[in-house]
Amino acid sequence: MSTIEFSAAERAAGRGLGGDLARLDGPAKVTGAARYASDRTGENLLCAVLVGAAVPSGRLVRLDKQPALAVEGVVAVIGPGELSPPGPGFADLTVPPLATRHLPLRDDAIVYHGQPVAAVIAETLEAAEEGATRLGVSVAAAKFVVPDTAPDASAEGGYAGLGALDLRVGTPTEPGPGSHHVSGTYVQPARHNNPMEPSAAVAEWDGDRLTLYDAAQHVYAVRSVMAAVFDIDEEMVRIVSPYTGGGFGAKAFIWPHEILAAMLARQLGRPVKLTLTRAQMYDTVGYQPLMRHDVTLTAGGDGHLVEVGHDVVNTTAVTDDYVEFGSATASALYASPHIHTSQRVRRGNVNLPTFMRSPIDGPGTWALGVAMDELARAAGLDPVELRLRNYAEREPASGRPWSSKKLREAYQEGARRFGWHERAPGGTADGPWRIGFGMADATQGQFRFPSQATVSITPQGKVGLAVGFTDIGQGPGTIFPQVVAGVLGLDPADVELFWGDSGLPFAGPTYGSGTTIGVGAAALDAATKLRDQLAELAGWPAAQVHCDNGELCYGDHHVKLTELVADLPGPLAAEGAFRLPGDAWADAGPAEYATRTFGAVFAEVGVDPELGLVRLRRATGVYSAGHIINARTARSQMIGGLVWGWGMATLEASHFEPTLGRWHSPNLAGVALPVNADIPSAIDIAFVDEFDEHAGPLGAKGIGELSATGFAAAVTNAVYDAVGVRITTLPIRPADIINALHGPAHS
């Protein structure tokens, strides 16, 4: 791990904030003290179970409630049209933060398998589940469309507005003599997010006031949606979500089960808990869609690109158009006089996809990274050298300068640490194993969200940080106290954190790699303002003070913070904020700059040619991601991302069963996930020394999604290096390798 050093002047400006610190929230999570949405209990609490349609298309003909109502403890069965309709504000909601406008139980139409057609509510979960099994559901099935085989179509509305469906930069140029051209189709299967904690919501009403305990990634978005659904002011809605057990995008936006829980609680006049089963996590919330990439690359004889083309088609639902903008990396990574990309969808009777770590750039870096490896081999160039020759000093699509970029240094440092230039290309032998080496680019677009925070100190000297972010496990409960502690000269453990509640100062969402940028900047601003107030108490000039070891310092003078505030009548507090130009709710960085994170990833794999097995032997990732606040938590995130990339490359797929029109094996028994035996200890992570002054005052950028990009391409390229088999459909299965090497008869 590289250590980033800052001068005394830089530290005074806040650039040295942070450090290598163990997670402050670790004990609460490993001991069970951390409480999640479905942990909430109560004497008056009802449990709801959703009953899903067994067909992907048709309509509900009859609902026989009596067998379910006969189960002891069942208090109600709710069918289509039996809940109050959403308020008029619901129609004005945009997508996102509302995941889908299709709200089940409004009519008898069925458009995807598992769509809720009824809810059984009981005094206990066991009674509700028993009632659900006895409920008589009669449906009239209709012809359905398999999204994988539907015709390509242009996306309309919804998520289509998040990017350019078609992009043309420059004009075609003759490549000249000795040119090199590659084109190919690369296919990724659908994949489900599968967070450790299933989605859950507990709704309580007190008159017209709603409190919702939710497994969410942004409490304020949930608040806005609930206010619109029930036509009440946002001040009448409180969303609580201090801990969320993973989300990876599946809990980023608001799904129907959250709305239904609140509707049921209001109609029944009692608190209602609704927790999705693992199977319902497959067909009730989103997932990453199946994608087809058509990539075209042309380079002149000198290896300089003259054309980059990337056309993407992804599956979506008949209810909404979700677009997975996998072509974004083609317009951002390499310099080329001509770039063309497009995005299309295939609509079918399936639940709506959504973001999944890492959306957009995760899929894009796989297809483009594999195509670049093919081009390097066609041109007789080292893959690192090919990238250096096509290094984009400015964003290729717009020509804007980067807010910061040290990818060149990441290439060089990664190659050095991995021993890239000392390898033996073309595969070596280790007993029955063939050893191969591959590399690729990592990159992720950045989002910034406005945030607010309050930092306070009591007369007893206790310091608190209040900000309503949601913790999905990435470490904000450690790094934000670190920021405050760095300004006030405290131990981070002495900063009490209040978070995960919409009643606290507004925080941006925990997705889009934007949490550290926005919330961190607001915490920095609040802590700095509090320090200024302390300087005023001491009668010292704020611009010339600093805090160290719990003391306020001015030249040779110093005074303990506890002494400064001891005689105050109450807490001293300061409000901080991070605002975007024009008070925007989000942006991708300053308009005059292009903002991204970058990295170079390297993989060594072993391939058994006879059995088709692929094993990861070691990996290196070096990243250009702005100022790293906490090296330990950052390294942990990057390792997790590489493991995620290994699963994407070699294990994970969610298959849509075309005969029955549903997800095949919707449970963890049918999901192959990386385990400790799959991942070696030889994973080397480093960060280049970087501070992005344009991204925000902390100089930091997001890393949680960056870590999941690029590695699937590096693994795919390493497999080719080992045995000469170019895999263009993920995941890489033993049968794919055996068939390519020995023919289908051997698999």
Side-chain angles (χ1 to χ4, degrees), residues 234-319:
E234 290 191 4
E235 289 72 20
M236 304 291 286
V237 181
R238 180 188 176 205
I239 310 299
V240 183
S241 183
Y243 293 105
T244 293
F248 315 118
K251 300 171 185 173
F253 303 131
I254 293 79
W255 292 92
H257 72 274
E258 294 160 280
I259 299 173
L260 293 177
M263 283 182 163
L264 290 169
R266 189 175 205 185
Q267 185 149 322
L268 297 174
R270 291 176 60 179
V272 170
K273 178 194 291 188
L274 199 167
T275 302
L276 299 185
T277 66
R278 182 59 59 181
Q280 287 172 336
M281 289 295 293
Y282 276 72
D283 54 26
T284 307
V285 297
Y287 53 94
Q288 187 177 76
L290 183 146
M291 302 175 65
R292 186 193 75 212
H293 307 258
D294 291 309
V295 180
T296 298
L297 299 174
T298 303
D302 57 1
H304 287 94
L305 287 163
V306 297
E307 178 192 17
V308 175
H310 194 163
D311 301 309
V312 180
V313 180
N314 68 260
T315 56
T316 188
V318 295
T319 58

Side-chain angles (χ1 to χ4, degrees), residues 50-56 100 102 104 110-117 191-194 199 250 255-257 260 275-287 317 319 349-354 654-656 660-667:
L50 297 178
V51 178
V55 298
T100 171
H102 182 260
I110 299 170
V111 292
Y112 61 88
H113 183 279
Q115 174 188 320
V117 294
R191 296 189 303 153
H192 280 78
N193 304 49
N194 278 315
S199 293
W255 292 92
H257 72 274
L260 293 177
T275 302
L276 299 185
T277 66
R278 182 59 59 181
Q280 287 172 336
M281 289 295 293
Y282 276 72
D283 54 26
T284 307
V285 297
Y287 53 94
T319 58
N349 290 101
V350 67
N351 54 312
L352 187 70
T354 193
S654 295
H655 297 293
F656 188 78
L660 298 176
R662 61 173 178 83
W663 294 108
H664 181 70
S665 190
N667 51 62

